[in-house]
Amino acid sequence: MTSQGEAMMSVTEGGWARVTAPVCPRPRHVPLSLCCPDGVLRRVTVTAARHGRPLYRQARTCRWGDLLPFPADVESDVTPAKAIKNSEK
């Protein structure tokens, strides 16, 4: 019999992301720096309302260097510098 956490971790459509900075959980959200499965560094804020309670709980307990399941539909909180430079032209 598998636990709920194992079932949630095995059903990841986006892949796995690596935590690239110290995690500092805040009330009701967790800001994370992640190296995503596509190789892009992103800042993501995980909340229970937006991402679901299992991922939120896992994000609160993760540490620098841990792997997290990365949903395919998560958007970055920070606009990449490359996109800003292209919009100025």
Side-chain angles (χ1 to χ4, degrees), residues 34-55:
L34 300 173
C35 180
C36 299
D38 57 359
V40 177
L41 292 173
R42 290 192 174 106
R43 290 280 302 164
V44 176
T45 301
V46 177
T47 66
R50 246 189 281 162
H51 303 101
R53 191 170 174 137
L55 182 59

Side-chain angles (χ1 to χ4, degrees), residues 7 13 31 55 60 62-64 66 69 71-72 77 82-83 87-88:
E13 297 167 1
L55 182 59
R60 286 188 66 82
C62 73
R63 299 288 175 248
W64 193 348
D66 287 351
D77 295 342
K82 191 175 187 180
S87 67
E88 293 174 353

Side-chain angles (χ1 to χ4, degrees), residues 2-80:
T2 62
S3 70
Q4 182 182 8
E6 289 175 9
M8 192 272 312
M9 290 172 60
S10 65
V11 184
T12 57
E13 297 167 1
W16 292 89
R18 175 88 53 192
V19 179
T20 60
V23 178
C24 189
R26 303 285 182 222
R28 293 186 302 247
H29 70 281
V30 182
L32 297 170
S33 293
L34 300 173
C35 180
C36 299
D38 57 359
V40 177
L41 292 173
R42 290 192 174 106
R43 290 280 302 164
V44 176
T45 301
V46 177
T47 66
R50 246 189 281 162
H51 303 101
R53 191 170 174 137
L55 182 59
Y56 171 71
R57 285 183 158 197
Q58 194 170 16
R60 286 188 66 82
T61 61
C62 73
R63 299 288 175 248
W64 193 348
D66 287 351
L67 287 172
L68 284 176
F70 188 77
D73 60 345
V74 171
E75 291 295 323
S76 177
D77 295 342
V78 178
T79 305

